[in-house]
Amino acid sequence: MILPGQTIGILGGGQLGRFLGLEARLMGFKTVVLDPTPDSPAAQVCDRHIQAAVDDSTAALELARLSDVVTLEWELIPAALLEKIEKVKPLFPSSKVIATISDRLVQKEFLKERGFPQTPFVPAANRQELEAATKTLGFPCVLKRRRHGYDGKGQLRLHSPADLPKAAPLLEAPCVLEALVSFDKEISVILAVGREGQTRAFPIAENVHRGGILHSTLAPASIPIPQSDPILALAEKVGRDLGHVGVMTVEMFVETGGRVLINEIAPRVHNSGHYTLGACATSQFEQHIRAVGGLPLGSTVVEGPVVMINLLGELWSDGEPRWDLLLAHPSVKLFLYGKAKAAPGRKMGHFLFIGDYPGGPLAEAERLYRGLLPVSAATAD
Ligand code: AMP
């Protein structure tokens, strides 16, 4: 068991690492983060910062030496480096879990072997394999890079054979082709798996993506309890079968008829779980610290409906957004990540709208969001 006063090592210094560091600090843990960027979001709040690439093995071993337990905010770290770390200190999630998740094809095969529901898929490493795969799956379909794709990056929708030439840049690395799902809702389950295999899930999050990037989350999702209990049980089974320790995320599609398909797994805290920090008895970040520290898991009760809206860099195109207007609403909580430069698509922060509201909290959160848009975008809207 890792107790307050001991040190948690974090691989990766973005906003997820920042919130892990902040929650660890509130609980009295010490933290050390490994990240290449000076003054990164996590480096601003952790006790120590090792400034080096996350795949620098000398730096990673130094992080391990300073830590009592090591964890990560980013799964695309080479397995060989994780194996080195786990030889010296406990590492959660393990290199084995990361090896299963970080390659889309291996992840999909893991789910298939265990009979978890997902959209049909076929590996496609080159143009010939892609053409054959489209014959098996038909159109429309989605081509995805096996590794290093996130936030809709490394993906291409194919509507007909005429789109095949557009796939050439993606096919420079191995891909997997998926049948396109016509879904009614996108949801995610954030859950924790403890060191003894015990699981605890947060209420289901209902997500809206824009351009492949998460825009908003509503929790609890608008899904009736008879349907939500099996969804939570499904996600918890994925976590146990994987042998994961820590918080993880299972993203799913809900089809019009109610059938649920797993889209992908993230072996870490997640953007769609940001609502838990501010609206749940235990945040996903505290829960992760509890899980990797071998401590009992906390309550996942949510205090009411909550909406999270992401604040991307384009909001800064006319200068700093009008936080005074947003914060005039007493039900709003603002979280900014301390990133020096805003760029389009870059996650700069998010806000929560907590509690019910006439017309629904989602509509009110969207209204507040529109108030932050730069004048040019607001007119176009
Ligand atoms: P991913 O990075 O795989 O989670 O994909 C990003 C977003 O693209 C998802 O959240 C969906 O909105 C959309 N998407 C990905 N795969 C599919 C699919 N097979 N069918 C329909 N939409 C998809």
Side-chain angles (χ1 to χ4, degrees):
M1 196 184 274
I2 310 292
L3 291 168
Q6 292 186 281
T7 302
I8 301 172
I10 305 169
L11 294 161
Q15 59 269 21
L16 300 175
R18 178 182 178 93
F19 290 123
L20 284 171
L22 284 168
E23 288 282 81
R25 176 163 275 200
L26 287 178
M27 295 165 83
F29 289 96
K30 294 198 169 61
T31 48
V32 49
V33 62
L34 171 60
D35 187 81
T37 315
D39 206 35
S40 68
Q44 293 167 23
V45 304
C46 287
D47 294 288
R48 289 185 72 158
H49 176 203
I50 301 173
Q51 197 188 324
V54 272
D55 59 359
D56 176 330
S57 61
T58 311
L61 286 173
E62 172 65 0
L63 176 104
R65 191 185 65 76
L66 293 168
S67 307
D68 295 293
V69 63
V70 179
T71 188
L72 48 86
E73 63 134 34
W74 172 244
E75 61 272 31
L76 301 173
I77 297 169
L81 186 140
L82 296 175
E83 282 163 17
K84 279 189 194 161
I85 294 177
E86 65 197 350
K87 284 206 178 94
V88 280
K89 287 291 163 65
L91 169 76
F92 302 111
S94 67
S95 60
K96 193 165 162 273
V97 168
I98 296 299
T100 307
I101 298 303
S102 57
D103 181 325
R104 272 187 201 277
L105 182 61
V106 179
Q107 182 183 137
K108 284 174 181 298
E109 278 165 353
F110 158 83
L111 292 170
K112 189 174 169 184
E113 274 163 27
R114 285 158 184 80
F116 287 109
Q118 61 183 332
T119 192
F121 65 93
V122 179
N126 52 47
R127 174 71 187 256
Q128 290 71 25
E129 286 188 19
L130 176 61
E131 276 181 36
T134 58
K135 293 204 171 87
T136 310
L137 299 179
F139 293 95
C141 46
V142 192
L143 185 66
K144 297 182 180 176
R145 278 269 172 94
R146 280 174 58 175
R147 292 181 63 85
H148 294 271
Y150 65 96
D151 281 347
K153 293 192 185 92
Q155 296 193 12
L156 178 72
R157 285 187 186 206
L158 302 170
H159 300 281
S160 73
D163 288 335
L164 288 171
K166 292 186 203 154
L170 270 194
L171 286 170
E172 280 168 19
C175 291
V176 57
L177 189 74
E178 288 177 25
L180 192 80
V181 179
S182 161
F183 55 82
D184 180 38
K185 282 185 177 58
E186 277 195 86
I187 58 169
S188 55
V189 177
I190 318 291
L191 70 136
V193 188
R195 288 209 200 171
E196 266 76 55
Q198 72 277 30
T199 54
R200 189 164 290 179
F202 287 95
I204 301 172
E206 185 170 334
N207 303 315
V208 174
H209 290 82
R210 287 189 184 166
I213 304 182
L214 184 66
H215 167 66
S216 68
T217 296
L218 165 72
S222 56
I223 291 180
I225 289 173
Q227 199 189 342
S228 61
D229 284 350
I231 293 173
L232 294 170
L234 184 75
E236 292 183 58
K237 183 161 184 333
V238 173
R240 281 193 300 270
D241 283 9
L242 196 58
H244 182 73
V245 172
V247 164
M248 60 177 277
T249 308
V250 185
E251 292 184 65
M252 306 181 210
F253 300 121
V254 184
E255 292 182 307
T256 318
R259 191 168 70 126
V260 171
L261 300 173
I262 295 178
N263 172 26
E264 64 175 2
I265 308 168
R268 53 167 170 79
V269 287
H270 196 258
N271 193 170
S272 66
H274 281 352
Y275 79 86
T276 62
L277 178 60
C280 287
T282 310
S283 75
Q284 61 169 343
F285 307 100
E286 177 182 339
Q287 195 76 308
H288 184 69
I289 291 159
R290 285 169 171 260
V292 302
L295 296 160
L297 300 177
S299 161
T300 54
V301 166
V302 62
E303 79 179 56
V306 50
V307 175
M308 188 281 318
I309 299 214
N310 265 340
L311 303 171
L312 303 184
E314 39 272 51
L315 282 185
W316 274 251
S317 60
D318 289 353
E320 201 67 15
R322 290 287 307 270
W323 305 130
D324 53 332
L325 298 181
L326 179 71
L327 292 169
H329 209 306
S331 303
V332 163
K333 268 181 176 296
L334 176 64
F335 299 81
L336 294 174
Y337 306 153
K339 296 184 182 177
K341 267 189 87 133
R346 189 168 196 214
K347 291 175 180 168
M348 302 294 291
H350 65 269
F351 75 87
L352 301 185
F353 184 90
I354 303 175
D356 238 327
Y357 204 76
L362 193 54
E364 184 58 7
E366 288 289 358
R367 191 187 69 77
L368 290 166
Y369 173 72
R370 282 194 298 277
L372 296 174
L373 289 172
V375 179
S376 45
T379 342
D381 209 42

